[in-house]
Amino acid sequence: HRIGITDSLTAGGHFEMGRGVVNAGPTANLRLPFGEVEAAAAFSQAGAIRGHAALASYSYTGHIISGGGSVRMLSSQYSTISMGPAQQRARVEASLFAAVPVMRRVSLSLQHTRSLADATVTRLRTSAQATTQVFSAADLVFNGSQVSDERGQGKELTVGLTFRLGRRTTATTSASVDRDGQRSAVDVQQSLPTTTGFGYQARRDRKSTRLNS
C-alpha cells in the first residue's frame, strides 16, 4: 500500500504471509528536481529464523537520456514466500543502467550488474537491449547479455514481442537461449495505477534443457 504525503513524497509498506513465512517492511519514494529516489526495507521470519533486506535506488527519465542505479542487500537468512532461508541468493547486488533513443522508433539500453553471493563468488552481467516499435501497439525487443560467474563465461540471447492491451496491461511472448538450453515464456501483467487500484502478473515458462553429446 502507498499513499502520497506531499507532491514529492510517497510513503507506504508491504506485507506478505504464506508457507510459514512472514515478510513486511516500509517503502518511500522522493521526487527530486532531477530524478527520483526510492528506499525500502524488509524484515522476515520463517519459523524461528529471522532475516532482513534493504534497497536504495535512483532513476532519471529524460527526453534524450534516461538512467539510474540501485543497491540491494540481503541477509543470509532473509526469506519471502518464494525464497526460503536456505535458498542461495545474492547477498549484495549493485546495478547501473542507461537508455537513449537512437532512431524515431528504436531505443537502446545498457545495464551492468555486479552481485556477491558470498565472500568468494562474484557474478557480473552486462546487457544490451534494443527495442523497436513494429506496430502501433507492439514492440519487438532484442536482449544480449555477457555473464561471468562461478561457472565461467557465458552468453544469453532473448527475443520478445510485447503487445499493449490497454493503458496499463501488456502481454509478452519471448524465447531465449543460454548455457542451460532454450526456454520460452508468456507473460501478462497490469501495472499498478497512480491512484487507488490493483495490478497483477501471470507468467508461464517452458524450458528445454540442452543435451551434451
Side-chain angles (χ1 to χ4, degrees), residues 6-180:
T6 68
D7 290 342
S8 299
L9 177 63
T10 300
H14 78 276
F15 175 83
E16 62 180 35
M17 180 173 64
R19 300 179 182 178
V21 176
V22 177
N23 187 302
T27 63
N29 293 75
L30 179 63
R31 187 176 63 184
L32 304 175
F34 298 95
E36 180 178 325
V37 174
E38 177 183 3
F43 305 90
S44 68
Q45 182 154 349
I49 302 175
R50 297 181 178 180
H52 58 272
L55 167 72
S57 68
Y58 169 81
S59 62
Y60 169 78
T61 302
H63 295 291
I64 299 177
I65 188 171
S66 301
S70 64
V71 177
R72 184 182 67 173
M73 295 178 289
L74 308 178
S75 68
S76 60
Q77 297 179 325
Y78 176 70
S79 306
T80 67
I81 60 175
S82 60
M83 180 179 67
Q87 188 172 337
Q88 188 179 22
R89 81 285 311 278
R91 296 286 303 278
V92 180
E93 183 177 278
S95 181
L96 295 172
F97 76 92
V100 294
V102 293
M103 295 176 62
R104 181 181 177 184
R105 295 186 176 183
V106 180
S107 63
L108 177 66
S109 63
L110 301 174
Q111 181 174 7
H112 179 72
T113 301
R114 179 186 180 95
S115 60
L116 302 176
D118 54 38
T120 60
V121 178
T122 300
R123 297 169 181 159
L124 302 174
R125 175 186 293 269
T126 302
S127 302
Q129 178 173 292
T131 303
T132 178
Q133 183 179 347
V134 291
F135 304 110
S136 60
D139 296 327
L140 186 62
V141 179
F142 299 90
N143 186 290
S145 300
Q146 175 71 37
V147 181
S148 176
D149 54 23
E150 62 271 24
R151 299 165 57 189
Q153 302 284 336
K155 292 181 173 61
E156 300 177 3
L157 178 63
T158 301
V159 180
L161 187 61
T162 297
F163 298 91
R164 293 181 291 277
L165 306 180
R167 294 181 59 186
R168 298 188 291 118
T169 305
T170 60
T172 300
T173 177
S174 62
S176 61
V177 59
D178 56 23
R179 292 175 294 180
D180 298 320

